[in-house]
Amino acid sequence: MNDTITRNALANAAAQGIGIGHLTPGQAWAAHHLAMPPERLTRPLASHIAALLENVERLARRRFFDGVAKDDAEEMIKRAYDEDNPMFLRGPIMETLNDGMQEFFPGLKPSGVDDEGREVFNLADLAQALGASEEDLLAHAEKMGITDQLRTTPPNPLH
């Protein structure tokens, strides 16, 4: 964690889902979300500031997790990749998914990145790694309503 809390540092911490100074990742996101001036975030936090940040963070958590059944992995994955949700909630899920991909599909490598820098994979490579046909994957994508996420143009090269 960085120690200096500035507006830019707070914005970066919120975007990355990390803490800053003495603020937890959730507090950093809440403070940024509220456009709180950095001078109000000194250590120790005033009790009313700590309570406000806690309430905003709790509301974000409730919105993120409410209505998801405990065993509904697909919905949690969908929420983890929904950029409208705070990164401090999305990040740990995305990290777990990435770890799982590396463990269970060590040979599967991205073919490039999209315009936002996210890794993209070739459909044929995915089908081979999963032991499925490309047609089955396309049908599954259509069933899930995610065909809009499939690319037909070449990805940006990996750096």
Side-chain angles (χ1 to χ4, degrees), residues 90-112:
R90 299 171 46 224
I93 297 169
M94 293 170 67
E95 188 175 314
T96 299
L97 291 169
N98 188 42
D99 291 347
M101 286 289 290
Q102 290 180 12
E103 180 179 344
F104 293 105
F105 304 104
L108 184 62
K109 302 293 182 212
S111 58

Side-chain angles (χ1 to χ4, degrees), residues 118-132:
R118 294 177 298 225
E119 295 177 336
V120 294
F121 295 86
N122 181 289
L123 184 61
D125 294 342
L126 283 171
Q128 182 179 5
L130 295 170

